[in-house]
Amino acid sequence: NAGVMQNPRHLVRRRGQEARLRCSPMKGHSHVYWYRQLPEEGLKFMVYLQKENIIDESGMPKERFSAEFPKEGPSILRIQQVVRGDSAAYFCASSPVSGTGVTLHFGNGTRLTVT
Amino acid sequence: KNEVEQSPQNLTAQEGEFITINCSYSVGISALHWLQQHPGGGIVSLFMLSSGKKKHGRLIATINIQEKHSSLHITASHPRDSAVYICAVSSYNNNDMRFGAGTRLTVKP
């Protein structure tokens, strides 16, 4: 049973380009969480999705960032018109159900570098 | 002030030493998580606890709800334990999880 798969592992974009980060949750998991880890900082929650629904996007910047989790296929975190401050590691985690008593399974992250 | 504080920030130990990493939090929680992030970046969930103590191999996690404090202990430390250890708390759901800044542990042979 494959774990949470994120790709690409590393992504380099020039300022103004778009970045697309993909996350395939563990088999049987329908809850996906995206987190951002800025250099030398802790993880910060961005968005929580279930299949076809955004449940909580309170941690996501209002502009340029969007996320989706379609019925078929991976969850996508999309950053438009990237700026240097978007350089960070982006982690996806999944769980089979919601609630605090549930262990999250994390992917290996995508390291975005904006030049 | 961060809602989740970890200490120390950095810790260097000799192989075989007993290690303690501390986590204090200032919010009401229903669960506390300890995570391990290896060089190269992948994150693994080590423990989730809401009371008492849990043990897995050489790792022990404890939590004191009244004092809002948790500790992660590593017995007989080994160089492969070198990683960043992250404490996280959640109140209602995993989407309100708050993370500490992490403790970078280096175990020297």
Side-chain angles (χ1 to χ4, degrees):
Chain A
N1 189 11
V4 177
M5 304 298 291
Q6 286 190 251
N7 66 80
R9 287 294 304 273
H10 300 274
L11 182 61
V12 180
R13 284 286 179 266
R14 289 202 185 96
R15 276 182 299 170
Q17 290 185 319
E18 178 180 287
R20 278 183 179 245
L21 289 62
R22 292 175 187 78
C23 169
S24 295
M26 281 186 73
K27 189 175 179 182
H29 288 196
S30 58
H31 299 254
V32 165
Y33 308 81
W34 283 94
Y35 300 93
R36 178 164 66 174
Q37 187 177 43
L38 291 166
E40 305 305 320
E41 291 189 23
L43 289 154
K44 294 274 194 308
F45 165 76
M46 296 184 75
V47 61
Y48 163 40
L49 310 103
Q50 290 180 39
K51 280 285 185 182
E52 299 185 272
N53 290 305
I54 296 175
I55 307 301
D56 181 356
E57 55 183 348
S58 59
M60 204 150 69
K62 296 282 184 284
E63 295 177 357
R64 301 187 299 108
F65 285 72
S66 63
E68 63 176 13
F69 189 15
K71 189 176 178 181
E72 301 290 338
S75 176
I76 306 283
L77 179 67
R78 184 180 175 210
I79 312 172
Q80 295 178 289
Q81 299 171 351
V82 296
V83 300
R84 288 229 171 95
D86 297 332
S87 295
Y90 292 83
F91 288 92
C92 163
S94 72
S95 64
V97 295
S98 64
T100 58
V102 180
T103 298
L104 286 179
H105 297 263
F106 285 83
N108 285 330
T110 293
R111 274 141 195 86
L112 172 65
T113 303
V114 180
T115 61
Chain B
K1 189 179 186 295
N2 289 338
E3 292 170 313
V4 183
E5 296 276 359
Q6 286 185 238
S7 63
Q9 267 189 304
N10 293 284
L11 180 57
T12 300
Q14 286 298 131
E15 183 172 356
E17 285 185 5
F18 180 84
I19 285 158
T20 296
I21 298 170
N22 296 300
C23 175
S24 296
Y25 53 91
S26 57
V27 294
I29 70 166
S30 54
L32 183 142
H33 304 252
W34 280 102
L35 310 171
Q36 181 191 55
Q37 185 173 23
H38 270 284
I43 296 174
V44 174
S45 181
L46 298 174
F47 293 105
M48 179 181 55
L49 62 167
S50 54
S51 65
K53 176 179 173 178
K54 285 191 177 180
K55 184 176 191 290
H56 185 252
R58 295 180 295 107
L59 301 178
I60 303 166
T62 64
I63 187 168
N64 184 319
I65 296 292
Q66 286 74 30
E67 294 188 4
K68 294 189 173 178
H69 181 269
S70 174
S71 292
L72 177 69
H73 305 285
I74 305 175
T75 61
S77 59
H78 190 276
R80 65 174 173 265
D81 296 326
S82 298
V84 175
Y85 292 84
I86 301 168
C87 171
V89 299
S90 52
S91 299
Y92 301 105
N93 205 329
N94 285 325
N95 50 303
D96 68 7
M97 195 176 285
R98 273 68 61 89
F99 298 84
T103 294
R104 185 176 300 276
L105 171 66
T106 304
V107 181
K108 294 187 174 178

